[in-house]
């Protein structure tokens, strides 16, 4: 849980543009804490650097997956406002989040899907979002009424941290100087173990043992953060990475995506990597993945 702070500490953090959220490993994903609405309603959602939209399951849930926590009710918030269908905001979101006009109530709606075929559908709205003790008004969010897929009941939505216009990072841009950083605890860590997702000045990471690599923009895919993977070492064998998992317009070759559990590489590179691992492992036979994810 995030530590509480006095009003003096809160105002000091707001002036310097810093905000934090705890991160916890959960079934191959990472969950972060935010609050939505007035009064603030706690939300636990997937921290996803591979998508942009911030959304949570909302009442009424016509087709929602099971979640452990209570579902957000827009009617209980004094700052929740849907985006009108006939508005420039709805028009501008058509490409990025698949917004469209609802013929029933005139509310701008969205429909988004993910690589594992999970999906979310609902209303586009503006709402106050709180990180720690810092409130940010009029944030664009998705209020999901139809959500299904591989979502865990521990979470209630997704916080998009990508580079698109509606991501949390971009919407907080003026307040945090475009800076954020995260540390991910191992998936094998104890259930109560957490790390920190930091925004603004508190996001600067420095000190002994810190290594960095540039995040390279991809003009054709502004959502994604791309890096240049040079090689992977197995024992003393170094396997150069010449393939690419991104578009040809980027000078990077692999996407960093906190919302994707597996590392995905081209087949020829995987063959070399698999052979190198096999040469280092003795006393066991190959087996297939019982869940079918790796077949």
């Amino acid at each position: 849980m995030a530590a509480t702070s006095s009003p003096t500490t809160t105002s000091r953090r707001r002036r310097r543009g810093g905000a934090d959220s705890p991160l916890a490993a959960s079934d191959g994903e990472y969950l972060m804490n935010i609050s939505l609405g007035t009064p603030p309603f706690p939300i636990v959602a997937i921290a996803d650097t591979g998508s942009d939209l911030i959304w949570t399951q909302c009442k009424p849930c016509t087709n929602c997956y099971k979640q452990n926590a209570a579902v957000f009710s827009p009617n209980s918030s004094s700052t929740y406002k849907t985006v009108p269908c006939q508005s420039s905001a709805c028009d501008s979101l058509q490409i990025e989040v698949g917004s469209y006009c609802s013929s029933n109530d005139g509310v701008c709606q969205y429909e988004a899907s993910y690589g594992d075929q999970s999906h979310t559908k609902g209303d586009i709205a503006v709402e106050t979002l709180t990180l720690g003790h810092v409130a940010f008004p009029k944030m664009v969010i998705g209020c999901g009424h139809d959500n299904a897929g591989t979502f865990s009941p521990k979470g209630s939505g997704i916080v998009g941290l990508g580079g698109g216009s509606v991501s949390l990072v971009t919407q907080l841009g003026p307040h945090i100087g475009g800076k954020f950083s995260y540390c991910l605890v191992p998936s094998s860590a104890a259930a109560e173990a957490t790390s920190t997702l930091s925004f603004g000045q508190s996001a600067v990471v420095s000190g002994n043992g810190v290594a960095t690599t540039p995040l390279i923009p991809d003009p054709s895919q502004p959502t994604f953060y791309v890096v240049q993977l040079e090689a992977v070492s197995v024992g003393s064998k170094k396997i150069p990475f010449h393939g690419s998992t991104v578009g040809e317009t980027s000078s990077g070759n692999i996407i960093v995506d906190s919302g994707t559990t597996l590392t995905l590489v081209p087949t020829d590179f995987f063959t070399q990597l698999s052979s190198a691992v096999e040469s280092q492992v003795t006393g066991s036979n190959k087996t297939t993945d019982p869940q079918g994810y790796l077949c």
Side-chain angles (χ1 to χ4, degrees):
M1 299 294 291
T4 58
S5 60
S6 66
T8 301
T9 302
T10 300
S11 60
R12 187 164 60 244
R13 291 177 65 187
R14 184 177 287 112
R15 284 198 299 272
R16 71 169 185 254
D20 301 306
S21 173
L23 277 176
S26 174
D27 303 321
E29 299 167 334
Y30 290 89
L31 300 177
M32 65 178 290
N33 293 58
I34 63 172
S35 293
L36 291 175
T38 305
F41 182 88
I43 300 289
V44 178
I46 298 169
D48 186 14
T49 61
S51 68
D52 296 317
L53 183 65
I54 306 164
W55 67 268
T56 188
Q57 298 204 113
C58 285
K59 293 180 179 180
C61 258
T62 55
N63 180 33
C64 288
Y65 63 89
K66 180 182 179 181
Q67 68 176 59
N68 295 338
V71 176
F72 177 66
S73 174
N75 292 336
S76 298
S77 172
S78 63
T79 48
Y80 179 90
K81 290 181 174 59
T82 54
V83 172
C85 187
Q86 303 300 329
S87 66
S88 58
C90 188
D91 291 340
S92 66
L93 295 172
Q94 284 185 2
I95 295 178
E96 188 164 358
V97 299
S99 66
Y100 60 94
C101 289
S102 168
S103 58
N104 295 327
D105 54 12
V107 174
C108 184
Q109 297 188 311
Y110 75 93
E111 180 174 350
S113 59
Y114 300 90
D116 62 358
Q117 305 308 308
S118 298
H119 76 265
T120 175
K121 301 177 184 179
D123 299 334
I124 296 290
V126 290
E127 179 60 289
T128 296
L129 184 150
T130 302
L131 277 171
H133 296 280
V134 186
F136 301 94
K138 298 182 179 179
M139 300 285 286
V140 176
I141 67 164
C143 195
H145 303 294
D146 178 355
N147 321 291
T150 61
F151 300 114
S152 165
K154 297 177 184 177
S156 56
I158 290 179
V159 176
L161 298 169
S165 65
V166 295
S167 78
L168 179 61
V169 175
T170 302
Q171 291 193 70
L172 294 182
H175 305 283
I176 64 173
K179 298 176 182 178
F180 80 103
S181 65
Y182 59 87
C183 175
L184 302 178
V185 297
S187 58
S188 58
E192 65 274 11
T194 62
S195 54
T196 303
L197 175 59
S198 299
F199 300 87
Q201 293 186 17
S202 60
V204 177
V205 180
S206 61
N208 294 332
V210 172
T212 63
T213 189
L215 293 176
I216 304 168
D218 183 352
S220 67
Q221 304 177 95
T223 294
F224 299 129
Y225 301 108
V226 181
V227 298
Q228 181 68 26
L229 176 62
E230 297 179 356
V232 174
S233 295
V234 179
S236 60
K237 183 176 179 60
K238 186 176 183 179
I239 307 168
F241 185 80
H242 299 301
S244 178
T245 62
V246 299
E248 296 180 358
T249 59
S250 173
S251 55
N253 58 17
I254 197 164
I255 295 166
V256 178
D257 184 358
S258 65
T260 298
T261 302
L262 303 176
T263 298
L264 308 175
V265 295
T267 303
D268 56 346
F269 180 79
F270 177 80
T271 300
Q272 297 179 64
L273 181 61
S274 178
S275 297
V277 171
E278 188 175 357
S279 69
Q280 297 289 320
V281 178
T282 59
S284 61
N285 297 320
K286 285 185 178 180
T287 187
T288 57
D289 172 21
Q291 294 181 319
Y293 295 140
L294 303 179
C295 295

